[in-house]
Each structure stands twice: as structure tokens, then as C-alpha cells.
């Protein structure tokens, strides 16, 4: 395991924020994991587990060791009457893995096409898009406890998946290194295509995984700024979940206020609508701002800092709170002090 000192993180986070990490390494195999455990025993410095950096905001420089997970490989481990089980290493690129499953004739993950990042980070916030989330086709994962080296297996129940939530967030980030994830891909897939935009793109066609994936790629490219062109981390805020009374009170004044029932008492609303209605879409202050394409996406127009981006986020939180009494919760992990 090679350790570099004072490495820039600019090319390691999709916001393209120019922070620095005091130490940097890459984890390619089991030996590197053992050396990481030894390093952790020897020093008091924190470790940051880094995937594709597409859900992180570096507000300050990082004072510990950033360890990029580069574990690679995938295999079909089992098949039964209902599903095929595929295990994939944490450092594999998520979207490439999704397209590979489709090319091999397996369905299930097509709605999650084009989400940036790695396979190992996907369970952390139970990634989701277009009516499907990782939990829908998750079978198990393997993680290494970085405090004692224990190798642990987690089944779906133990992962406690929720909306952008999992056991791993609650337990404490950077304590468990997810090394591989096993998916259960159904032999008889149920297409989820009633989402706005997808249905229109598939009109008159017999759906299959590739067609759905292609449609979703097209839709995402038309709606979301490409981080390679304008730095961003996708949705910056979670969609708030309100109780019905709170939702109805706002709806009475704003008839186009959207709501999607989550349970008998809870309604999920659109953070994008709330932000847009407060006039933030297309806002720019220096090089930090809000995408012109999507009110939920904070962007780095060039050389902004994590601090400036976070200051825009705070202004948005304040204005939505004042107008609607709803406190928006950021989705990306914010690294400010360590
Ligand atoms: C343009 C764009 C669109 C996006 N669209 C979506 C979307 O539709 N749906 C969605 O859910 N998300 C979306 N995201 C957010 C992001 O892509 C996902 O959260 C993704 O899973 C993050 O993967 P990553 O490898 O980049 O993780 P990173 O940003 O590197 O890390 C995220 C978190 O996971 C931890 N972590 C990373 N790897 C491991 C590991 N192996 N073991 C333990 N912990 C680890 C990190 O410490 C950190 O806390 C989008 C982001 C962008 C830029």
C-alpha cells in the first residue's frame, strides 16, 4: 500500500472542489486492507473511505488518510428458479456494472443506470432512482471491520435500508469497509416504467432491460448537469417526508405542491419544487450556484470552494424553512472538521 502525502482531492470528488488530503492511498486487494488496518493501529489519524467521490462535499482539507476503494471483479455465485446471484467488488463502477448485467441478460438494475460512483458506496445511502432502489435487488454484502479486521456478512434485514439510509450511516461511516455486494436479479423481472418521461420514451415498444436503461440514460442526461462539465454531486437535498396534516396545510395555499404517499400518515414531497418555488434555480454567487437544469443540484461553475457551496446550501435551507417551515436535509456527506 503506497501512501502519498498532501494529495489534491480535486479529481477525486465530482464537485471538483480543490481540497487536499494529508495522506492518500488506494486499496486494490486484501493485502492493502491488512496494511490499512496496521496503519490505523499505528496512528491516531482518521480514515476516509473514498469511492467515486460523487456524494461528498469537502468543506475543508482532510487531515487524515483518504483510502480510495479500487477492489475489482465480479462473479455469478448462484442461480435458482427465481433469481441469479451476482457478487461484485466494491471498487467497480456502478453504472458499468449495471450495463454489464444487462449485456449478460440479467434484469433488475436498469432503472439505476447512470448513477455515478462505485458499487461499495451504493448501499451506504441505498441509492435510488426512477422508482427503484438498491434494496429492491440487494441480497448481501461483505464488510471488514476496520477496528479489529473481522470479516462480516450482512443480509438485507441487517442493512436496515431506508430512503437514502442504511445501517452503515447509523453505525458510523469509515468504520466498516464494504468490500463486495451480492445482488439477487430476478428471472421474471417486473418493469418499473410508469415514471414520468420513461413511459413516453417507451411508447409502442415491448420493454426490456436495455431499452429501459437507454431511456433512463437519455432522461438523466437531459435533466442533470454532467459532473465532467459542471461539478456537482447530484441531488443536494433529500426529498422531505411530511406528516399528512403538515402537507395538507401547505397544499391548501399551493395547489401544485406535490406529494407521494409513503404510508397512511406520511407523504414524501419534492425538495426541487420547494427550492424552485423560493427562486433558487439558476442562482449563482461567484462560482457556486444552483443548476439551471435542476433546482436540487448545487454546482461548481469553476473554482468555487466547499465552504462557498455549503454557504449557498445554508441560504437555501434558511429560505425554504422561512417560507414553508420545512428543514431540508443535505444528501451528500459533508467533510468539514476532522
Ligand atoms: C450527477 C449525479 C447524479 C446522481 N444521482 C443519484 C441518484 O439518482 N440516486 C442516488 O441515490 N444517488 C445519486 N447520486 C449520488 C451518488 O452517485 C451516490 O450516492 C453514489 O452511491 C456515491 O458513490 P461514490 O462511490 O461516489 O461514493 P463517495 O461519494 O466516494 O462516498 C459516499 C459515502 O460512501 C462511503 N464509502 C464509499 N465507498 C465505501 C466502501 N467501499 N465501504 C464503506 N464506505 C464507503 C464514503 O465514506 C462516503 O461516506 C448522484 C451523484 C451525481 C454526481
Amino acid at each position: 500500500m503506497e501512501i502519498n502525502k498532501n494529495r489534491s482531492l480535486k479529481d477525486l470528488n465530482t464537485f471538483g472542489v480543490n481540497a487536499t488530503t494529508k495522506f492518500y492511498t488506494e486499496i486494490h486487494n486484501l493485502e492493502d486492507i491488512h496494511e490499512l488496518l496496521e496503519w490505523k493501529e499505528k496512528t491516531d489519524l482518521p480514515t476516509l473511505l473514498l469511492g467515486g467521490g460523487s456524494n461528498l462535499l469537502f468543506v475543508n482539507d482532510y487531515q487524515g488518510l483518504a483510502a480510495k476503494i479500487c477492489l475489482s471483479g465480479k462473479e455469478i455465485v448462484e442461480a435458482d428458479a427465481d433469481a441469479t446471484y451476482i457478487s461484485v467488488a466494491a471498487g467497480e463502477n456502478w453504472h458499468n456494472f449495471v450495463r454489464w448485467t444487462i449485456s449478460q441478460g440479467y434484469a433488475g438494475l436498469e432503472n439505476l443506470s447512470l448513477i455515478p460512483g462505485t458499487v461499495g458506496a451504493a448501499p451506504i445511502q441505498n441509492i435510488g432512482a426512477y422508482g427503484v432502489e438498491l434494496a429492491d435487488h440487494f441480497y448481501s454484502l461483505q464488510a471488514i471491520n476496520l477496528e479489529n479486521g473481522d470479516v462480516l456478512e450482512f443480509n438485507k434485514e441487517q442493512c436496515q435500508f431506508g430512503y437514502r439510509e442504511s445501517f452503515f450511516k447509523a453505525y458510523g461511516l469509515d468504520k466498516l469497509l464494504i468490500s463486495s455486494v451480492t445482488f439477487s436479479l430476478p428471472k421474471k423481472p417486473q418493469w418499473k416504467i410508469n415514471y414520468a418521461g420513461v413511459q413516453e420514451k417507451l411508447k409502442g415498444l415491448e420493454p426490456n432491460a436495455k431499452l429501459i436503461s437507454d431511456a433512463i440514460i437519455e432522461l438523466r442526461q437531459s435533466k442533470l448537469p454532467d459532473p465532467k462539465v459542471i461539478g456537482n454531486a447530484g441531488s443536494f437535498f433529500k426529498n422531505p417526508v411530511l406528516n399528512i396534516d403538515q402537507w395538507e396545510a401547505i397544499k391548501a395555499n399551493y395547489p401544485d405542491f406535490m406529494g407521494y404517499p409513503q404510508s397512511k400518515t406520511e407523504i414524501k414531497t419534492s425538495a426541487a419544487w420547494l427550492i424552485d418555488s423560493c427562486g433558487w434555480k439558476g442562482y449563482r454567487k461567484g462560482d457556486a450556484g444552483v443548476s439551471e437544469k435542476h433546482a436540487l443540484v448545487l454546482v461548481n461553475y469553476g473554482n468555487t470552494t466547499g465552504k462557498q457551496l455549503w454557504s449557498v446550501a445554508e441560504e437555501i435551507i434558511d429560505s425554504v424553512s422561512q417560507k414553508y417551515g420545512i428543514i431540508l436535509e443535505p444528501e451528500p456527506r459533508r467533510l468539514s472538521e476532522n
Side-chain angles (χ1 to χ4, degrees), residues 110-335:
E110 53 282 350
N111 291 44
L112 303 177
S113 297
L114 214 63
I115 298 181
T118 55
V119 167
I124 301 281
Q125 73 155 5
N126 181 25
I127 57 168
Y130 293 93
V132 174
E133 52 185 24
L134 170 122
D136 295 335
H137 298 294
F138 176 92
Y139 184 69
S140 67
L141 66 74
Q142 192 183 69
I144 289 125
N145 185 332
L146 292 181
E147 271 150 20
N148 55 21
D150 285 354
V151 179
L152 308 165
E153 278 287 326
F154 286 80
N155 64 26
K156 187 165 156 179
E157 201 182 30
Q158 290 165 324
C159 290
Q160 297 170 20
F161 291 123
Y163 168 59
R164 300 295 181 271
E165 287 300 339
S166 70
F167 167 82
F168 308 98
K169 277 193 176 178
Y171 181 75
L173 293 163
D174 307 318
K175 288 185 179 165
L176 298 169
L177 184 162
I178 295 173
S179 50
S180 67
V181 184
T182 302
F183 293 90
S184 147
L185 301 183
K187 295 238 163 111
K188 288 186 191 140
Q190 306 231 308
W191 310 122
K192 295 257 176 87
I193 52 173
N194 49 1
Y195 213 93
V198 182
Q199 224 165 18
E200 291 87 87
K201 290 219 178 285
L202 296 176
K203 213 169 183 178
L205 301 169
E206 183 63 34
N208 64 45
K210 168 126 188 346
L211 279 178
I212 296 169
S213 171
D214 289 347
I216 280 167
I217 291 171
E218 247 187 75
L219 273 172
R220 291 182 68 100
Q221 283 172 335
S222 68
K223 281 188 181 173
L224 292 168
D226 179 354
K228 288 193 189 106
V229 183
I230 300 180
N232 74 86
S235 303
F236 197 87
F237 297 101
K238 292 183 188 175
N239 286 319
V241 178
L242 308 179
N243 69 47
I244 290 200
D245 294 344
Q246 196 183 4
W247 181 75
E248 279 176 349
I250 300 173
K251 178 94 178 156
N253 293 323
Y254 303 93
D256 61 338
F257 184 48
M258 290 180 284
Y260 311 94
Q262 296 299 290
S263 65
K264 280 186 181 153
T265 54
E266 288 181 323
I267 302 244
K268 195 196 273 179
T269 60
S270 160
W273 185 92
L274 292 165
I275 297 167
D276 201 5
S277 78
C278 290
W280 287 100
K281 199 171 180 180
Y283 170 84
R284 182 169 178 170
K285 189 182 198 176
D287 273 349
V290 179
S291 168
E292 282 166 3
K293 282 186 168 181
H294 204 306
L296 206 46
V297 181
L298 262 59
V299 289
N300 174 6
Y301 283 105
N303 282 311
T304 197
T305 61
K307 274 196 181 80
Q308 284 162 338
L309 282 163
W310 180 243
S311 137
V312 170
E314 283 185 316
E315 284 184 62
I316 293 173
I317 294 171
D318 263 12
S319 83
V320 169
S321 158
Q322 275 174 32
K323 188 163 177 185
Y324 298 106
I326 296 171
I327 310 288
L328 291 178
E329 211 184 305
E331 188 182 298
R333 175 176 180 189
R334 184 163 46 100
L335 286 135

